[in-house]
Every structure is written in structure tokens, then in C-alpha cells.
Amino acid sequence: MATFPTARAVRMTPEGLLWEPSERWVRGRKGDVTVVDSRHPVLVWEPGLPVPLYAFPREEVREELLRPAKNPPTGTHFGSRIFYDLEVGGGLLENAAWTFPADDLAGHISFEWFRRSGRGLDHWYEEEEEIFIHPRDPHKRVDAIPSSRHVRVEIDGTVVADTRRPVLLFETGLPVRYYIPREDVRLDLLVPTEHSTGCPYKGTAEYWSWRGDADVPPNLLWSYPDPLPAVGAVKGLLAFYNEAVDITVDGERVERPVTPFSKTPAARPPT
């Protein structure tokens, strides 16, 4: 009889790093140059960070493009042993790659993701699908479920959305997000902005800010015009940061959550 593991296959190094082999085919590019082409990547979770990184066997990395870092940083990536600059396309990307200080990960190299840190490789693929910001956590679930709940949203006492046909997005470790049809949102009270973010689970989001004088952060409303297939139910719908507005569901006020988005929501990708 076949048996299947029931616990996470994550391992911990003596230094406190969590890691797990992945069976996904992962490629990383800078422009048109493929720097990483790996069928044996490893997911690594640094202490205190909720999202993983990839580390790759050296033989699946184009090491000839790496140079010992001229100005290696300190106190980043959990005390990494060695940093590398990446020379590609006639340019030099400082501290684009590093090794972790763990014997379990000896022989592996990690890379910065441009859309996460502002430097590093700018295109990443799992199999044939491009992913953004960071690898997708295999232990995280995202479900977009149509609902008939009555959802009302207020900003500084003004009702800005009222619907009985939301889509509720449940994402592991984060508060429920209420995606609302455009017809049920007072978009005349908001203004579109140039801001956008990418999410490896949902796609690329566009934003709106509040027009009024209320003390709320900018970019507090977002939408995915072309979401990834797994969350296709939110296509074109609008969601507010629970952390910045007042939401009532079926007559019950939802407590504002405290999350990494609480102070400056749009500084991080929406959920």
C-alpha cells in the first residue's frame, strides 16, 4: 500500500534556516540571458521572513557570469558567507547572488529578484509560467470563492462600496479580502494612480487612492485586470485594504487586522 507524508517535508539547519527540495523546473534571466536553469531547486525560508527564496545547485547556475562581490553587504540574507556580483549584458549587478552559511546548503547559490529588491534577475519562470516577487510557497493556499454576503465599506464615515455579490479571497496567514464588482463601488470618490505591483499568486494589480481629506494611505484600493487562472474569479473586481478602511459583513463590523500592510499598504504586493 502506498504511503504519503502528512507533515511538511521542511528541514531546519543548525543555523535556523528552513529548506525543502522542490520538483519545479525554475529558470532565471537577466534580460535575454538565462543565468539559472535548474531542475533541482531548493526553497529556503530565512528566519522572520514569511516568503521563501530559491537556492540552486552551482552546476545549474552560469557561474562564469559571477564575480566575487566588490562591496559585499553585511547583515543581509542571514549572515551569508559569500556575495557575488553578476556581469551580464555589458553591465555589473552588485551583490546579485550569495551563498547561505549552512552546510546543508553548501554548493547552492541564491539570487536577488529585481521586482522584490530592485536588483538582480528580472524574469523568473516555474515550468512555463512567469512568476513575480518571490517563489510561490507550496504550503500556502489561495482560494477565491464567490459569495452572497452583504459587504459594506466605509472611509471616514462615507460608504464607498456596498454589495451582496462579493468574491472572498482566502489566503493562508492573511485576512480575508473582499473583492467587489465595480458597479457596487463609488469609484467617483477615488482616483486611479500609476502604482502597480506583482504577486506570484494573483498577477499584476492596478490601484486607486481616496480623493477626500480622510487620514488614509494612498493606493488603498486595487484590482487584478488579468489575474492568474487560479484566482480568475477576482478578474476586474475591486478590493480595499481591511487595514485602512471600515468593513461591515452581514451587519457585523470586521476588526481591522494588524499585518505587514498596516502602515503603508501599497509598499507590499496586495493579497
Side-chain angles (χ1 to χ4, degrees):
M1 178 182 295
T3 60
F4 301 93
T6 56
R8 291 177 60 157
V10 177
R11 307 155 199 189
M12 178 180 285
T13 73
E15 298 81 5
L17 288 164
L18 297 175
W19 67 279
E20 179 181 49
S22 172
E23 295 183 350
R24 301 187 183 195
W25 174 27
V26 178
R27 285 155 291 156
R29 297 198 329 233
K30 177 59 181 176
D32 295 330
V33 178
T34 298
V35 179
V36 176
D37 189 334
S38 177
R39 286 172 170 80
H40 307 91
V42 173
L43 286 163
V44 181
W45 288 263
E46 297 182 272
L49 295 181
V51 298
L53 296 164
Y54 272 126
F56 307 98
R58 286 182 175 270
E59 58 269 23
E60 297 179 342
V61 171
R62 290 192 56 186
E63 284 196 85
E64 76 275 12
L65 301 176
L66 299 179
R67 311 283 181 263
K70 294 181 179 179
N71 302 294
T74 58
T76 61
H77 294 302
F78 201 56
S80 302
R81 286 178 177 161
I82 302 173
F83 280 87
Y84 297 96
D85 296 337
L86 176 67
E87 187 173 347
V88 61
L92 188 71
L93 302 176
E94 290 192 349
N95 303 310
W98 69 91
T99 62
F100 283 110
D103 290 341
D104 289 4
L105 299 173
H108 289 73
I109 298 176
S110 285
F111 286 82
E112 295 285 4
W113 291 39
F114 181 82
R115 293 189 63 178
R116 182 181 186 187
S117 66
R119 64 184 189 277
L121 306 189
D122 47 19
H123 293 284
W124 287 93
Y125 300 86
E126 290 177 349
E127 302 300 331
E128 296 300 326
E129 184 172 306
E130 185 168 9
I131 55 174
F132 308 95
I133 309 298
H134 61 79
R136 289 178 285 203
D137 189 329
H139 307 286
K140 185 170 186 174
R141 186 181 179 96
V142 181
D143 294 307
I145 305 177
S147 176
S148 59
R149 295 191 188 213
H150 181 198
V151 177
R152 189 176 74 246
V153 182
E154 298 176 44
I155 296 178
D156 197 29
T158 298
V159 176
V160 294
D162 194 314
T163 189
R164 294 181 182 271
R165 46 180 185 156
V167 170
L168 275 55
L169 191 135
F170 300 88
E171 184 169 352
T172 304
L174 289 169
V176 178
R177 300 302 191 191
Y178 302 93
Y179 282 78
I180 301 171
R182 289 177 181 242
E183 298 82 2
D184 297 338
V185 177
R186 289 285 308 277
L187 277 176
D188 59 305
L189 300 177
L190 298 124
V191 58
T193 74
E194 297 297 322
H195 190 69
S196 68
T197 58
C199 171
Y201 304 102
K202 294 175 285 295
T204 300
E206 58 187 11
Y207 286 83
W208 288 258
S209 289
W210 175 241
R211 287 184 182 271
D213 297 326
D215 184 20
V216 293
N219 302 307
L220 53 66
L221 174 69
W222 73 88
S223 178
Y224 289 97
D226 189 22
L228 296 176
V231 292
V234 305
K235 181 180 177 68
L237 304 186
L238 301 160
F240 292 85
Y241 278 106
N242 308 36
E243 298 86 340
V245 301
D246 294 314
I247 298 178
T248 301
V249 179
D250 291 337
E252 182 176 344
R253 178 65 61 89
V254 176
E255 183 177 350
R256 290 193 185 186
V258 177
T259 75
F261 303 92
S262 294
K263 292 185 178 180
T264 53
R268 304 174 70 92
T271 58

